[in-house]
Amino acid sequence: MRALHKKLFRDLRRLWAQALAIALVMAAGAATLILGTGAYQSLAQTRASYYEANRFADVFANLTRAPKVMVAELAAIDGVAAVEPRIVKLALADLDGVAEPVSVLLVSLPADHEPDLNRIYLRQGRLPEPASDNEALVSDRFAKSHGLGPGASFRVLINGLRRSLRVTGTGLSPEFVYAVGPGDLMPDERRYGVVWMREPALAAAYDLDGAFSSLLVKLVPGASQAQAIGRLDAALARYGGQGAYGRKDQTSHAFLDAELKQLAAMSRILPPIFLVIAAFLVNMTLTRLIALEREQIGLLKALGYSSLAVARHYVEFAALIAVIGMVIGLAAGYLLGNGLTVLYARFFDFPFLVFSRNPAVYAIAAGATLAAAVLGALNAVRGVVFLPPATAMAPPAPARYRKVLGDIEMIGRSFGRAAVMSARHLTHSPLRSASSILGVALAVAVLVGSLWSFGSINYMIDVTFYRSARQDATISFANARPATAAYAVQHLPGILRAEPFRAVTVKIRAGSVERRLALMGRPRKADLSRVLDASLAPVAMPESGIVLSLSLAEILKVRTGDLVTVERLDGDRRVFDVRVAAIIEGYIGLTAFMDMDALNDRLGEGELISGTDIGIDPTRQAELFAALKTVPAASFITLQKAALAKFRDTVAQNITLMITVYVTLAAIIAFGVVYNFARISLSEQGRELASLRVLGFTRAEVSGLLLGEIAAVVAIAQPLGWAIGYGIAAAMVRGFSTELYRVPFFIGRDVYAYASLLVILATAVSALVVRRRIDRLDLIAVLKTRE
Amino acid sequence: MGSAAALERPDKPVFVTRGLTKVYRMGAVEVQALRGIDFTAHPGEFVVILGPSGSGKSTFLNIIGGLDRATSGEAYFQDHDLIDASEAALTRYRRDHVGFVFQFYNLVPSLTARENVELVTEIARQPMDAREALALVGLSDRSEHFPAELSGGEQQRVAIARAIAKRPEVLLCDEPTGALDSATGVKVLEALTRVNEEMGATTLVITHNAAIRDIAHRVVSFASGRIAVIETNAARKPAAAVSW
């Protein structure tokens, strides 16, 4: 090993704590990059290969009833590669020991072969026998939560008739990766599952012999989806087609997409923050190291080392720190990335996980880390290394201080000369002070930028469930029923209130933009399920006109008073124009409302309702649930409060995990920045501080000086950190918002307070570590040596 | 005040040490820096301590200045025991009673001359005004300059002003002219003698510059950790008459 290399390793050992602090910041950068990108790629690849292997359809269509003879016609449509007709129906299930209503989606399998599209991945057991009419394959999670292994049986209310089904096995489908029930926020495997049965059994039960109610379509690669959908809609219109849609509108796919989008957003925001801070830290530390070694540098050059060789020596020092950071970061990124992928897999039903091991991601992370180190180093090395040896060997000119503004006098009067020292020292190296302030501010910002989301989710829950959707449950009918059906519901046991609603699947169009959604008709003075304006005041349904959620209005680019075109997708496909009467708040989904009577007028089918929102007497809930299991007209019951509990549960789990991760990351930054800043300050002012001790300043007073400097940096950093955190949060809101849900941008004061508190704690710890060094200052040595 | 009077007056001594020893351990080697120092200094005395490098004079000054601890023996400042004092008591002692002047000035570069003095007056019990202290060392017109803007001699005079501003009972100077040329050094010595006369602070000046001996009441010579000779100057020379 060459002598310079020995010096390198000894320097590193001597400065291990500072080097480690920097390496950890770099590691955090590399790790978050690999973690985010790795998990994103793993999930994206898992999804892609699952879709590919199980032939996930490209286009989906639901209809009332079409004869199978027209399948050939559909298959002949330009761009269509394969079609799969089937029967899909929502039904209530009755499981032993489960009080609350359970819904299942009944999906038909071809009579005597496996489906060609949306193929099933068999987890356990076998498919139902071709001729069987009471055998069923059950979605894996649903089966597990109810203990439904092969051979078990349960009851389903199929078209009004109670049928006992025998479980033959459990399976997964690319269609139900995220199996969320209608109206639910997230999958609840206790209350919603998928049940596959052979087609003849379902056809007989639903009077669909020789017919189908759902169509899967695979397109030829490169075919225009919009054109295919147009043709399909035209062909299916007279069979009660409800409008074909692509994967974008397929629930499971859309949720998965939203999740991937969030992951991508995360891996774009965090890593650069860490790497920028790491570059600052390298610069700070190396600048000081080089200043201290000025004479050695002169000596090396006098001995015949070239400027470049000396420069390389210091860049290598930074690179060595980067290598340590890289190793920690790559390993942590690898492990955490796998962990995160597995965590995601808990929410998504994949038969297998593909862990992305894209070497490019690791190479980019390693390269970015190294680049941050070298960039920081080059700037530090520039100053001294290229001085002529004689100049370098001479001590540097004494630091020239300036008076800064007139306030110094004021500081002196109120806090003493020691405070003046701190203030002048801070302003003497403005770049270092500024980068330290920025570093601490970024620690605060990382926290504000992550902790805000929990408050926002609570806010969203509060608005959605306690001010808007205040019903305990929603009963959805399989088909629209006369308004009198509401009275029948009203008379069920334990119902306190019932408010009917009408829902129709429509396309809303403005100009060239259109969206597919359920248009809801509500009673004018609905009180259970309310629609709120931006100030959260309830909005009465306008006599005529449509009410749009803000996110929908933004997508359609319409304002109050504009006209939008509504095209009905189920039923007679009528088209009508309606004026936007109001724009409302709403975080979940794209929503549109009309007055129920006005909507029924427009639809021209008389007074129909699609279901009712209900308020339940909690003491009679069990009675009600038992009764609901036998209501033939009900096909799905959304339990808002149960959904909320499930949602809260999941959020709580995630919060603990996320808070741990982000607090760790922020603590690494805060500690790294403050520790380095303090050590460098101490190294520069050690002599002055020792002089003060000699003059009779106590340890506490001398520590107070340095700690005061740190305190000033940290204090100035707070508001800056809040502002940057606000920016990060705003960027994340943009990155996280999808058409499925919009995250309300709401940062409570407590978020700023917690962020500051945590960073101040981390600061205090590193300050204490440095304080021990102040206490050990060698008073006599200082007096005997020249700076 | 005459030199004889200073020596023989009956008031209580400022410093008394008996059998003071100091052993440094440097790895496996023990270095005997002091080998039994018996010393007494009286109020208002101006003592010059001479001796070659390694003779123990700085170690001695550090111990009676409360910067270092003896290995054995006794050391008193007035009634304060400096041997058994706690760390905090020594800090208190330095703060309230001792003024230090060092070879390398040890000024705070980020504070002006006046502010460097105020650093001390802010924590002292009965300080003089910083401007007054600077006037005593002849630096009234340089009080707003930063150390980097002052010559070596001027910086050392700021250090003296800083040391005396607290009205210390003792002024301990370790090679105060060591880094200065003769002409500048004389100015510093003039400042020291003037302060000694006007304030009556007992002044101990370490030097290896024998030319300075003539300005003292007493000259104490150290050699190999012991006091070799104590001489009393029958007639002191003014600082201006000294040169090297």
Short mmCIF file of all heavy atoms in Angstrom, two decimals, chain A residues 3-45:
data_model
loop_
_atom_site.label_atom_id
_atom_site.label_comp_id
_atom_site.label_asym_id
_atom_site.label_seq_id
_atom_site.Cartn_x
_atom_site.Cartn_y
_atom_site.Cartn_z
N ALA A 3 2.07 5.11 0.64
CA ALA A 3 2.02 5.91 1.88
C ALA A 3 0.76 6.76 1.94
O ALA A 3 0.10 6.87 2.98
CB ALA A 3 3.25 6.78 1.97
N LEU A 4 0.39 7.35 0.79
CA LEU A 4 -0.80 8.21 0.78
C LEU A 4 -2.05 7.42 1.10
O LEU A 4 -2.98 7.93 1.72
CB LEU A 4 -0.94 8.89 -0.58
CG LEU A 4 -0.30 10.27 -0.74
CD1 LEU A 4 -0.70 10.88 -2.06
CD2 LEU A 4 -0.69 11.20 0.41
N HIS A 5 -2.06 6.16 0.66
CA HIS A 5 -3.23 5.32 0.96
C HIS A 5 -3.31 5.01 2.44
O HIS A 5 -4.39 4.95 3.02
CB HIS A 5 -3.20 4.04 0.13
CG HIS A 5 -3.53 4.31 -1.31
ND1 HIS A 5 -2.80 3.79 -2.35
CD2 HIS A 5 -4.50 5.06 -1.87
CE1 HIS A 5 -3.29 4.22 -3.50
NE2 HIS A 5 -4.33 4.99 -3.24
N LYS A 6 -2.13 4.80 3.04
CA LYS A 6 -2.13 4.57 4.49
C LYS A 6 -2.70 5.78 5.20
O LYS A 6 -3.52 5.67 6.11
CB LYS A 6 -0.70 4.32 4.97
CG LYS A 6 -0.24 2.91 4.73
CD LYS A 6 1.08 2.66 5.41
CE LYS A 6 1.64 1.31 4.95
NZ LYS A 6 3.10 1.28 5.04
N LYS A 7 -2.27 6.96 4.74
CA LYS A 7 -2.79 8.21 5.33
C LYS A 7 -4.30 8.27 5.19
O LYS A 7 -5.03 8.63 6.12
CB LYS A 7 -2.14 9.40 4.64
CG LYS A 7 -2.68 10.75 5.08
CD LYS A 7 -1.96 11.88 4.37
CE LYS A 7 -2.51 13.24 4.74
NZ LYS A 7 -3.93 13.39 4.56
N LEU A 8 -4.77 7.84 4.00
CA LEU A 8 -6.20 7.84 3.71
C LEU A 8 -6.97 7.04 4.75
O LEU A 8 -7.95 7.50 5.34
CB LEU A 8 -6.40 7.24 2.32
CG LEU A 8 -7.73 7.45 1.64
CD1 LEU A 8 -7.91 8.90 1.32
CD2 LEU A 8 -7.80 6.62 0.37
N PHE A 9 -6.50 5.80 4.98
CA PHE A 9 -7.23 4.93 5.90
C PHE A 9 -7.11 5.42 7.35
O PHE A 9 -8.04 5.31 8.12
CB PHE A 9 -6.74 3.49 5.76
CG PHE A 9 -7.27 2.84 4.52
CD1 PHE A 9 -6.46 2.59 3.43
CD2 PHE A 9 -8.63 2.51 4.42
CE1 PHE A 9 -6.97 2.03 2.28
CE2 PHE A 9 -9.14 1.94 3.27
CZ PHE A 9 -8.30 1.70 2.19
N ARG A 10 -5.95 5.98 7.68
CA ARG A 10 -5.80 6.48 9.05
C ARG A 10 -6.68 7.71 9.27
O ARG A 10 -7.29 7.87 10.32
CB ARG A 10 -4.34 6.83 9.33
CG ARG A 10 -3.51 5.56 9.27
CD ARG A 10 -2.32 5.56 10.17
NE ARG A 10 -1.69 4.24 10.02
CZ ARG A 10 -0.46 4.07 9.60
NH1 ARG A 10 0.32 5.11 9.34
NH2 ARG A 10 0.02 2.85 9.48
N ASP A 11 -6.75 8.58 8.24
CA ASP A 11 -7.62 9.76 8.34
C ASP A 11 -9.06 9.30 8.56
O ASP A 11 -9.80 9.85 9.38
CB ASP A 11 -7.57 10.60 7.06
CG ASP A 11 -6.30 11.44 6.99
OD1 ASP A 11 -5.63 11.56 8.05
OD2 ASP A 11 -5.97 11.95 5.91
N LEU A 12 -9.42 8.27 7.78
CA LEU A 12 -10.80 7.78 7.86
C LEU A 12 -11.07 7.24 9.26
O LEU A 12 -12.14 7.46 9.83
CB LEU A 12 -11.01 6.69 6.81
CG LEU A 12 -12.46 6.35 6.55
CD1 LEU A 12 -13.16 7.51 5.88
CD2 LEU A 12 -12.55 5.13 5.65
N ARG A 13 -10.08 6.54 9.82
CA ARG A 13 -10.28 5.98 11.15
C ARG A 13 -10.38 7.09 12.18
O ARG A 13 -11.18 7.05 13.09
CB ARG A 13 -9.14 5.04 11.48
CG ARG A 13 -9.53 4.01 12.52
CD ARG A 13 -8.59 2.86 12.54
NE ARG A 13 -7.24 3.31 12.85
CZ ARG A 13 -6.15 2.61 12.56
NH1 ARG A 13 -6.25 1.46 11.95
NH2 ARG A 13 -4.97 3.06 12.88
N ARG A 14 -9.58 8.11 12.00
CA ARG A 14 -9.57 9.23 12.95
C ARG A 14 -10.91 9.98 12.90
O ARG A 14 -11.45 10.39 13.91
CB ARG A 14 -8.43 10.16 12.58
CG ARG A 14 -8.16 11.28 13.53
CD ARG A 14 -6.78 11.90 13.26
NE ARG A 14 -6.62 12.28 11.85
CZ ARG A 14 -7.02 13.43 11.33
NH1 ARG A 14 -7.61 14.32 12.09
NH2 ARG A 14 -6.83 13.70 10.05
N LEU A 15 -11.43 10.15 11.70
CA LEU A 15 -12.66 10.92 11.53
C LEU A 15 -13.87 10.00 11.38
O LEU A 15 -14.84 10.35 10.73
CB LEU A 15 -12.55 11.81 10.29
CG LEU A 15 -11.46 12.87 10.34
CD1 LEU A 15 -11.30 13.54 8.99
CD2 LEU A 15 -11.77 13.90 11.40
N TRP A 16 -13.78 8.80 11.98
CA TRP A 16 -14.80 7.79 11.69
C TRP A 16 -16.22 8.26 11.95
O TRP A 16 -17.13 7.96 11.18
CB TRP A 16 -14.50 6.49 12.44
CG TRP A 16 -14.75 6.60 13.93
CD1 TRP A 16 -13.85 6.98 14.87
CD2 TRP A 16 -15.97 6.35 14.62
NE1 TRP A 16 -14.43 7.00 16.10
CE2 TRP A 16 -15.73 6.62 15.99
CE3 TRP A 16 -17.24 5.93 14.23
CZ2 TRP A 16 -16.71 6.48 16.96
CZ3 TRP A 16 -18.22 5.80 15.18
CH2 TRP A 16 -17.96 6.07 16.53
N ALA A 17 -16.40 9.01 13.04
CA ALA A 17 -17.77 9.38 13.40
C ALA A 17 -18.36 10.31 12.34
O ALA A 17 -19.50 10.13 11.89
CB ALA A 17 -17.79 10.06 14.77
N GLN A 18 -17.56 11.30 11.93
CA GLN A 18 -18.05 12.21 10.89
C GLN A 18 -18.27 11.46 9.58
O GLN A 18 -19.26 11.66 8.89
CB GLN A 18 -17.04 13.34 10.67
CG GLN A 18 -17.23 14.47 11.64
CD GLN A 18 -16.10 15.48 11.50
OE1 GLN A 18 -15.06 15.32 12.11
NE2 GLN A 18 -16.33 16.49 10.70
N ALA A 19 -17.30 10.59 9.26
CA ALA A 19 -17.39 9.84 8.00
C ALA A 19 -18.63 8.96 8.02
O ALA A 19 -19.36 8.87 7.02
CB ALA A 19 -16.14 8.99 7.80
N LEU A 20 -18.89 8.34 9.17
CA LEU A 20 -20.05 7.45 9.25
C LEU A 20 -21.34 8.25 9.11
O LEU A 20 -22.29 7.82 8.43
CB LEU A 20 -20.03 6.70 10.58
CG LEU A 20 -21.14 5.65 10.74
CD1 LEU A 20 -20.93 4.51 9.75
CD2 LEU A 20 -21.19 5.11 12.15
N ALA A 21 -21.37 9.42 9.75
CA ALA A 21 -22.57 10.26 9.66
C ALA A 21 -22.86 10.61 8.20
O ALA A 21 -24.01 10.56 7.75
CB ALA A 21 -22.40 11.52 10.50
N ILE A 22 -21.80 10.92 7.46
CA ILE A 22 -21.98 11.26 6.04
C ILE A 22 -22.39 10.01 5.27
O ILE A 22 -23.31 10.03 4.44
CB ILE A 22 -20.69 11.84 5.45
CG1 ILE A 22 -20.31 13.12 6.19
CG2 ILE A 22 -20.86 12.10 3.96
CD1 ILE A 22 -18.95 13.66 5.80
N ALA A 23 -21.69 8.89 5.57
CA ALA A 23 -21.98 7.65 4.85
C ALA A 23 -23.44 7.25 5.05
O ALA A 23 -24.09 6.75 4.13
CB ALA A 23 -21.06 6.53 5.33
N LEU A 24 -23.97 7.48 6.26
CA LEU A 24 -25.35 7.09 6.52
C LEU A 24 -26.32 7.94 5.70
O LEU A 24 -27.34 7.43 5.21
CB LEU A 24 -25.67 7.22 8.01
CG LEU A 24 -25.12 6.08 8.87
CD1 LEU A 24 -25.44 6.31 10.33
CD2 LEU A 24 -25.69 4.73 8.42
N VAL A 25 -26.01 9.22 5.57
CA VAL A 25 -26.88 10.07 4.75
C VAL A 25 -26.86 9.57 3.30
O VAL A 25 -27.90 9.47 2.64
CB VAL A 25 -26.44 11.55 4.82
CG1 VAL A 25 -27.26 12.39 3.86
CG2 VAL A 25 -26.59 12.08 6.23
N MET A 26 -25.65 9.24 2.82
CA MET A 26 -25.55 8.69 1.46
C MET A 26 -26.30 7.38 1.36
O MET A 26 -27.01 7.12 0.38
CB MET A 26 -24.08 8.43 1.11
CG MET A 26 -23.29 9.69 0.92
SD MET A 26 -21.58 9.25 0.60
CE MET A 26 -20.91 10.86 0.23
N ALA A 27 -26.15 6.55 2.40
CA ALA A 27 -26.83 5.26 2.39
C ALA A 27 -28.34 5.45 2.29
O ALA A 27 -29.02 4.73 1.57
CB ALA A 27 -26.48 4.47 3.65
N ALA A 28 -28.84 6.46 3.03
CA ALA A 28 -30.28 6.72 2.99
C ALA A 28 -30.70 7.09 1.57
O ALA A 28 -31.76 6.66 1.10
CB ALA A 28 -30.65 7.83 3.97
N GLY A 29 -29.87 7.88 0.90
CA GLY A 29 -30.18 8.25 -0.48
C GLY A 29 -30.21 7.03 -1.38
O GLY A 29 -31.18 6.80 -2.13
N ALA A 30 -29.15 6.22 -1.31
CA ALA A 30 -29.08 5.04 -2.17
C ALA A 30 -30.21 4.07 -1.84
O ALA A 30 -30.86 3.52 -2.73
CB ALA A 30 -27.72 4.36 -2.00
N ALA A 31 -30.46 3.91 -0.53
CA ALA A 31 -31.48 2.95 -0.11
C ALA A 31 -32.87 3.36 -0.57
O ALA A 31 -33.63 2.54 -1.10
CB ALA A 31 -31.46 2.78 1.41
N THR A 32 -33.21 4.65 -0.41
CA THR A 32 -34.56 5.06 -0.82
C THR A 32 -34.73 4.95 -2.33
O THR A 32 -35.81 4.64 -2.82
CB THR A 32 -34.88 6.51 -0.37
OG1 THR A 32 -33.76 7.33 -0.64
CG2 THR A 32 -35.20 6.57 1.10
N LEU A 33 -33.62 5.19 -3.04
CA LEU A 33 -33.69 5.06 -4.50
C LEU A 33 -33.97 3.61 -4.90
O LEU A 33 -34.87 3.32 -5.69
CB LEU A 33 -32.37 5.54 -5.12
CG LEU A 33 -32.34 5.61 -6.64
CD1 LEU A 33 -33.33 6.64 -7.14
CD2 LEU A 33 -30.94 5.97 -7.13
N ILE A 34 -33.20 2.70 -4.29
CA ILE A 34 -33.36 1.29 -4.62
C ILE A 34 -34.70 0.76 -4.12
O ILE A 34 -35.41 0.04 -4.81
CB ILE A 34 -32.21 0.47 -4.01
CG1 ILE A 34 -30.92 0.83 -4.71
CG2 ILE A 34 -32.49 -1.02 -4.11
CD1 ILE A 34 -29.71 0.24 -4.06
N LEU A 35 -35.02 1.19 -2.90
CA LEU A 35 -36.26 0.76 -2.26
C LEU A 35 -37.47 1.13 -3.12
O LEU A 35 -38.29 0.30 -3.48
CB LEU A 35 -36.33 1.44 -0.90
CG LEU A 35 -37.61 1.45 -0.10
CD1 LEU A 35 -37.80 0.10 0.52
CD2 LEU A 35 -37.52 2.49 1.00
N GLY A 36 -37.55 2.42 -3.44
CA GLY A 36 -38.70 2.90 -4.21
C GLY A 36 -38.72 2.31 -5.61
O GLY A 36 -39.70 1.70 -6.03
N THR A 37 -37.60 2.49 -6.31
CA THR A 37 -37.54 2.02 -7.68
C THR A 37 -37.64 0.50 -7.73
O THR A 37 -38.32 -0.06 -8.59
CB THR A 37 -36.22 2.46 -8.35
OG1 THR A 37 -35.94 3.78 -7.92
CG2 THR A 37 -36.33 2.43 -9.84
N GLY A 38 -36.94 -0.16 -6.79
CA GLY A 38 -36.96 -1.62 -6.76
C GLY A 38 -38.36 -2.15 -6.52
O GLY A 38 -38.83 -3.05 -7.23
N ALA A 39 -39.04 -1.60 -5.52
CA ALA A 39 -40.39 -2.08 -5.22
C ALA A 39 -41.31 -1.78 -6.39
O ALA A 39 -42.16 -2.59 -6.77
CB ALA A 39 -40.92 -1.42 -3.94
N TYR A 40 -41.12 -0.60 -6.99
CA TYR A 40 -41.94 -0.23 -8.14
C TYR A 40 -41.74 -1.24 -9.27
O TYR A 40 -42.69 -1.78 -9.81
CB TYR A 40 -41.58 1.18 -8.62
CG TYR A 40 -42.26 1.56 -9.91
CD1 TYR A 40 -43.55 2.07 -9.90
CD2 TYR A 40 -41.61 1.40 -11.14
CE1 TYR A 40 -44.18 2.41 -11.08
CE2 TYR A 40 -42.24 1.73 -12.33
CZ TYR A 40 -43.53 2.24 -12.29
OH TYR A 40 -44.16 2.57 -13.45
N GLN A 41 -40.48 -1.50 -9.58
CA GLN A 41 -40.21 -2.43 -10.69
C GLN A 41 -40.66 -3.84 -10.36
O GLN A 41 -41.18 -4.54 -11.23
CB GLN A 41 -38.73 -2.40 -11.05
CG GLN A 41 -38.33 -1.06 -11.65
CD GLN A 41 -36.94 -1.08 -12.25
OE1 GLN A 41 -36.17 -2.01 -11.99
NE2 GLN A 41 -36.62 -0.08 -13.05
N SER A 42 -40.47 -4.24 -9.10
CA SER A 42 -40.90 -5.59 -8.72
C SER A 42 -42.40 -5.73 -8.92
O SER A 42 -42.87 -6.71 -9.50
CB SER A 42 -40.56 -5.85 -7.25
OG SER A 42 -39.18 -5.91 -7.08
N LEU A 43 -43.14 -4.72 -8.41
CA LEU A 43 -44.60 -4.82 -8.52
C LEU A 43 -45.05 -4.74 -9.98
O LEU A 43 -45.93 -5.48 -10.42
CB LEU A 43 -45.27 -3.71 -7.71
CG LEU A 43 -45.33 -3.95 -6.21
CD1 LEU A 43 -46.04 -2.79 -5.53
CD2 LEU A 43 -46.08 -5.25 -5.92
N ALA A 44 -44.41 -3.82 -10.72
CA ALA A 44 -44.80 -3.66 -12.12
C ALA A 44 -44.52 -4.94 -12.89
O ALA A 44 -45.33 -5.40 -13.70
CB ALA A 44 -44.07 -2.48 -12.74
N GLN A 45 -43.35 -5.56 -12.62
CA GLN A 45 -43.02 -6.79 -13.33
C GLN A 45 -43.90 -7.95 -12.89
O GLN A 45 -44.31 -8.78 -13.70
CB GLN A 45 -41.55 -7.17 -13.09
CG GLN A 45 -40.61 -6.33 -13.94
CD GLN A 45 -39.16 -6.68 -13.66
OE1 GLN A 45 -38.84 -7.78 -13.24
NE2 GLN A 45 -38.29 -5.71 -13.90
#
